[in-house]
Amino acid sequence: MLSIKNLNVKLEEEDKQILKGVDLEVEAGKVHAIMGPNGSGKSTLSYVLSGKDGYEVTEGSATLEGEDLLEMEPEERAAAGLFLAFQYPVEIPGVGNMTFLRTAVNAQRKARGEEEMSAADFLKVIRAKAKELKIDADMLKRPVNVGFSGGEKKRNEILQMAMLEPKMCILDETDSGLDVDAMKLVAEGVNALRSAGRGFLVITHYQRLLDHIKPDVVHIMADGRIVKTGGPELALEVENNGYADILAEVA
Amino acid sequence: MAAPALQENPTEARIASHAMPAKGWSLNAREGALARLRAMGLPQRRDEYWKFTRPDTLTQVVAPTAAVFHNDEAPLFDGIERLKVVFVDGVFDAEASDDLTLEGISIERLATAESDLHWARDLYGTLEARGQHPVERPLAALNTAFATDGVLINVTDKPSKPISLIYRHESETSDAILHHCIKLEAGAELTLLENGPAAARFNKSMEVEVADGATFHHVRAQGRDHERRAATHIFARLGKGSQFKSFTLTVNGQLTRNECVIELTGDDASAHVAGACVGDGAFHHDDTVFVTHDAVNCESRQVFKKVLRNGATGVFQGKILVKEGAQKTDGYQISQSLLLDGDSQFLAKPELEIYADDVACSHGSTSGAIDEDALFYLRARGVPKGDATDMLTLSFLAEAVEEIDSEELRDEVNGRMSSWLKRRRD
Ligand SMILES: Nc1ncnc2c1ncn2[C@@H]1O[C@H](COP(=O)(O)OP(=O)(O)OP(=O)(O)O)[C@@H](O)[C@H]1O
Ligand SMILES: [Mg+2]
């Protein structure tokens, strides 16, 4: 599904290399987790995959179902089925959450040559999904993320993911800032989307999210590289011992 | 040595190019305005309130020509039930206009209102004259002296539909001067709509007397003809517990100077004036606003938003004056520009002058570009760059558009703006 080969990325503005040869393969139907110390390049990887400005790919490739992601505009990547739940969701004053989501859903459908969703159908679907995530009608009407609490913002990301039904979901620290109940809601939202045709890349610092969203594969990222890959037990090891041992072992 | 050629006085030259009516109830007021104009002289670049806007094309004797902008869209407000009063290049068009009778309101043309004891005699030129201090507004005096037509509206009740003044532009060389007097009696309510480019050059003045407890809503859209020029004035005086709300949308136009002068003279009154403009290239838009609080517990809001690109210029000169004794004043002023490129500029001069101690006044002015993080967020959800930029542009303008009370009118304005923004990209 998502195939990343020897991805090298530097900042456009500075001569600073951030990703130093990332190799990663996420198969359809699988959940991969990435853990790693602060500043190791996890968010950078998610931004580069989704097409944010400011980064330069100096080497390597990234494809989604064989399509070259790096050649596409961000909106084309979204229409191709890539979704990023942001570590820091952006506030957009003056744009209603509902209007925003309907525009996004229909823009993606249009780009794929599918029929647009009617206002009535959209309303029906979003109401049901919002209810599952305990997002009330008021939050849907408010401007995108404006005045939302940290946890509400993260739930709003998951709502967007549920509405957009992407093929490849990248979640960047969706668990940070969530209380225990909200974490369960978010995990349920993610698990509800797990299917044979869909891949997940879950970036997290904590095992507790992975208790709810059981990963198939766990990667450790350090200094711009995947330095170790293993099963769910790798996350437990990090939880118990931190990164020191792992980093020493691969050094 | 040859004596220097006698310079013709530009004010006198301009005066000589106009004629006053030979008789009638407005003559006194017109003579008074002419005297004011002579004393002030036409605006010049060195005048304090003309530093950012060149007055020459507004003052010169012959108006610069302006091509008529043809398009196939339905005119603004088309779907809205209203009473239409149409002017073509500043000339009343009876055939295109509706019957001017409507319950709760009387509407007459300035040019044909004959009666010597006309009610408008007390209003015509009165608020304009008051509005000449402390800032001079010579183009408004010129207007009072030489307006060729306009409407005189007396609202006694709550008419069932808005009055809609439609200004068509058909001649490339037209130079129009219209003057409206609007009087809302105690407790009366009026929604006034204005739209259209009006003329190659348009000088329009509107005096609005809002009596105690009356409500005046004003929504205006200045026509999209790229080369048109306009200098407009609104002079309003508000009585106790009255409400005044004015919103102006400006898209295109080479030069627009909109002045709004509001006096809150009765306690508990409220005045909101807002503007949204979108300009490209040879576009110069100037909002000059002066709100005077002269009563207790009044509220005023000024909300001006400008989207500028390709070298367009936006100007905002806004003042809140709180007079001695105008306690419990709540004054707010914001002027912001969204600069879509580095060539455009926004010049703002916000002013507060306060002589009472128990007041809350705030003002702010900012200039900024599209928020790149917001743009990326929208695109990452699949919204194409152009649409995402438009969404953010509309959201930037939203605070001004929100000042329109009626949801129907707000939707009309928003819908138009988004289709215009989209067209511009196609
Ligand atoms: N635009 C930028 N300008 C300067 N430095 C940057 C920029 N983007 C990323 N970096 C740097 O690149 C490194 C990787 O950052 P990144 O945000 O990808 O880390 P992370 O693994 O997501 O960390 P965290 O766990 O704290 O979220 C950091 O040292 C960061 O400061
Ligand atoms: Mg991060």
Side-chain angles (χ1 to χ4, degrees):
Chain A
M1 163 115 326
L2 177 66
S3 176
I4 302 167
K5 293 205 171 77
N6 189 30
L7 193 62
N8 281 267
V9 172
K10 69 180 268 294
L11 290 178
E12 224 163 49
E13 304 266 291
E14 291 170 49
D15 214 13
K16 184 173 173 188
Q17 196 74 25
I18 299 180
L19 298 184
K20 302 170 181 171
V22 174
D23 284 291
L24 186 65
E25 201 76 40
V26 181
E27 309 81 7
K30 294 283 194 277
V31 174
H32 286 229
I34 296 190
M35 303 180 85
N38 293 131
S40 55
K42 304 180 298 296
S43 292
T44 301
L45 175 64
S46 72
Y47 285 146
V48 171
L49 291 174
S50 43
K52 191 174 174 159
D53 280 344
Y55 303 99
E56 190 187 324
V57 175
T58 52
E59 230 188 305
S61 67
T63 59
L64 182 66
E65 291 187 309
E67 281 187 84
D68 184 356
L69 280 176
L70 304 178
E71 280 299 305
M72 295 185 223
E73 296 294 333
E75 54 268 33
E76 293 169 335
R77 302 180 196 206
L82 186 75
F83 179 90
L84 168 63
F86 283 61
Q87 182 172 0
Y88 304 107
V90 181
E91 299 190 4
I92 312 182
V95 176
N97 211 9
M98 193 94 109
T99 312
F100 156 63
L101 248 176
R102 196 152 77 85
T103 307
V105 166
N106 283 332
Q108 290 199 14
R109 288 183 170 224
K110 200 172 150 200
R112 292 193 293 258
E114 298 165 12
E115 210 177 307
E116 292 192 7
M117 203 170 187
S118 75
D121 284 348
F122 177 82
L123 210 62
K124 213 160 61 191
V125 178
I126 196 168
R127 281 205 181 123
K129 302 210 177 197
K131 199 169 161 208
E132 283 167 22
L133 287 160
K134 297 218 163 73
I135 290 175
D136 60 29
D138 179 55
M139 258 172 74
L140 291 178
K141 278 192 218 130
R142 267 156 52 190
V144 180
N145 293 326
V146 177
F148 287 25
S149 74
E152 286 170 344
K153 283 180 183 165
K154 297 301 177 80
R155 274 186 278 148
N156 200 27
E157 293 291 290
I158 300 304
L159 174 66
Q160 293 172 30
M161 185 169 87
M163 290 303 296
L164 293 166
E165 301 183 319
K167 289 178 191 156
M168 179 66 221
C169 309
I170 305 174
L171 283 74
D172 191 358
E173 292 196 30
T174 301
D175 52 334
S176 62
L178 291 183
D179 64 35
V180 181
D181 295 330
M183 169 118 67
K184 271 194 194 138
L185 280 177
V186 162
E188 279 164 20
V190 171
N191 288 329
L193 280 173
R194 286 181 78 159
S195 75
R198 190 170 279 136
F200 286 87
L201 188 59
V202 179
I203 299 170
T204 183
H205 286 293
Y206 305 106
Q207 165 61 31
R208 51 175 200 173
L209 179 71
L210 304 178
D211 287 339
H212 299 288
I213 306 173
K214 298 247 163 14
D216 298 293
V217 183
V218 175
H219 307 274
I220 307 297
M221 187 159 184
D223 191 25
R225 276 185 207 94
I226 303 289
V227 295
K228 189 165 183 181
T229 296
E233 73 288 345
L234 193 51
L236 285 169
E237 192 187 325
V238 168
E239 180 87 354
N240 295 330
N241 308 326
Y243 293 110
D245 292 353
I246 298 172
L247 295 187
E249 170 192 328
V250 299
Chain B
M1 227 176 8
L6 248 182
Q7 283 273 314
E8 196 186 8
N9 176 325
T11 303
E12 287 306 325
R14 180 74 194 263
I15 289 170
S17 73
H18 293 281
M20 256 183 224
K23 59 182 176 64
W25 56 267
S26 67
L27 209 49
N28 253 343
R30 289 173 185 268
E31 300 280 8
L34 182 56
R36 281 194 291 282
L37 174 60
R38 286 206 156 105
M40 294 183 273
L42 282 168
Q44 295 182 36
R45 198 73 200 277
R46 62 167 185 265
D47 295 347
E48 196 189 339
Y49 283 87
W50 288 92
K51 270 193 197 124
F52 301 142
T53 299
R54 291 179 64 102
D56 50 349
T57 54
L58 298 172
T59 58
Q60 70 194 40
V61 171
V62 179
T65 57
V68 176
F69 180 71
H70 293 285
N71 65 70
D72 51 7
E73 337 172 332
L76 195 72
F77 307 134
D78 226 26
I80 287 164
E81 171 70 9
R82 66 214 155 117
L83 189 152
K84 297 196 282 287
V85 184
V86 180
F87 292 89
V88 180
D89 293 307
V91 178
F92 178 71
D93 183 336
E95 217 150 276
S97 300
D98 290 329
D99 176 8
L100 300 186
T101 48
L102 182 67
E103 191 133 356
I105 187 168
S106 96
I107 307 167
E108 279 174 279
R109 284 177 54 204
L110 170 63
T112 55
E114 304 279 342
S115 140
D116 257 359
L117 288 171
H118 202 278
W119 63 264
R121 208 177 49 171
D122 294 334
L123 185 51
Y124 191 91
T126 303
L127 299 186
E128 174 259 301
R130 291 176 69 91
Q132 296 290 356
H133 310 282
V135 180
E136 294 181 344
R137 307 174 200 278
L139 289 168
L142 174 85
N143 179 299
T144 302
F146 298 118
T148 53
D149 210 343
V151 288
L152 308 172
I153 297 179
N154 186 21
V155 194
T156 49
D157 202 350
K158 298 171 182 171
S160 59
K161 52 189 172 188
I163 306 304
S164 175
L165 306 179
I166 296 165
Y167 306 121
R168 291 197 190 130
H169 172 209
E170 289 180 1
S171 152
E172 285 192 6
T173 57
S174 55
D175 188 15
I177 306 186
L178 294 182
H179 191 113
H180 310 311
C181 289
I182 297 162
K183 185 177 172 192
L184 290 102
E185 309 278 358
E189 275 182 31
L190 176 69
T191 297
L192 182 76
L193 308 176
E194 293 184 283
N195 70 303
R201 183 169 73 178
F202 191 35
N203 180 328
K204 191 206 63 182
S205 185
M206 182 159 96
E207 295 177 282
V208 191
E209 181 87 68
V210 191
D212 297 352
T215 301
F216 178 67
H217 287 159
H218 176 226
V219 179
R220 146 170 84 164
Q222 297 178 303
R224 288 164 67 212
D225 298 32
H226 293 272
E227 294 165 352
R228 62 148 191 84
R229 290 176 159 81
T232 77
H233 290 83
I234 297 171
F235 297 97
R237 182 163 58 182
L238 275 65
K240 186 173 167 47
S242 68
Q243 273 192 50
F244 173 99
K245 269 195 165 187
S246 172
F247 168 85
T248 299
L249 172 67
T250 312
V251 177
N252 303 345
Q254 181 133 343
L255 174 60
T256 307
R257 163 90 161 201
N258 291 331
E259 298 197 29
C260 187
V261 184
I262 300 172
E263 268 185 284
L264 296 126
T265 57
D267 297 346
D268 311 316
S270 152
H272 290 201
V273 11
C277 83
V278 180
D280 205 327
F283 170 93
H284 184 106
H285 188 279
D286 175 331
D287 283 298
T288 294
V289 180
F290 200 114
V291 175
T292 304
H293 283 262
D294 197 9
V296 174
N297 197 34
C298 291
E299 186 230 359
S300 72
R301 263 175 86 83
Q302 304 173 31
V303 182
F304 289 87
K305 301 268 187 159
K306 300 181 199 293
V307 178
L308 305 166
R309 71 171 188 193
N310 286 331
T313 302
V315 174
F316 175 77
Q317 310 184 100
K319 179 152 182 172
I320 305 175
L321 169 64
V322 181
K323 289 200 170 176
E324 210 181 314
Q327 303 297 7
K328 308 263 183 243
T329 287
D330 178 2
Y332 174 78
Q333 180 196 83
I334 182 107
S335 65
Q336 294 181 307
S337 74
L338 176 62
L339 305 176
L340 295 180
D341 55 49
D343 299 337
S344 304
Q345 59 169 345
F346 178 55
L347 304 158
K349 183 177 162 190
E351 294 177 283
L352 286 179
E353 199 177 327
I354 301 175
Y355 299 102
D357 46 23
D358 184 14
V359 301
C361 282
S362 64
H363 66 163
S365 181
T366 63
S367 250
I370 284 274
D371 178 347
E372 288 297 330
D373 288 335
L375 186 64
F376 175 63
Y377 191 72
L378 291 172
R379 295 180 72 190
R381 294 296 175 257
V383 183
K385 187 177 183 187
D387 292 342
T389 305
D390 289 356
M391 271 177 105
L392 294 174
T393 303
L394 288 175
S395 79
F396 166 77
L397 295 171
E399 188 186 358
V401 181
E402 301 279 306
E403 290 294 333
I404 302 174
D405 246 31
S406 143
E407 190 179 342
E408 188 185 22
L409 292 170
R410 218 167 40 231
D411 288 349
E412 175 86 356
V413 166
N414 269 326
R416 269 327 152 91
M417 284 198 301
S418 61
S419 77
W420 290 337
L421 289 173
K422 196 163 162 45
R423 265 182 185 227
R424 191 173 288 241
R425 292 193 272 120
D426 295 343

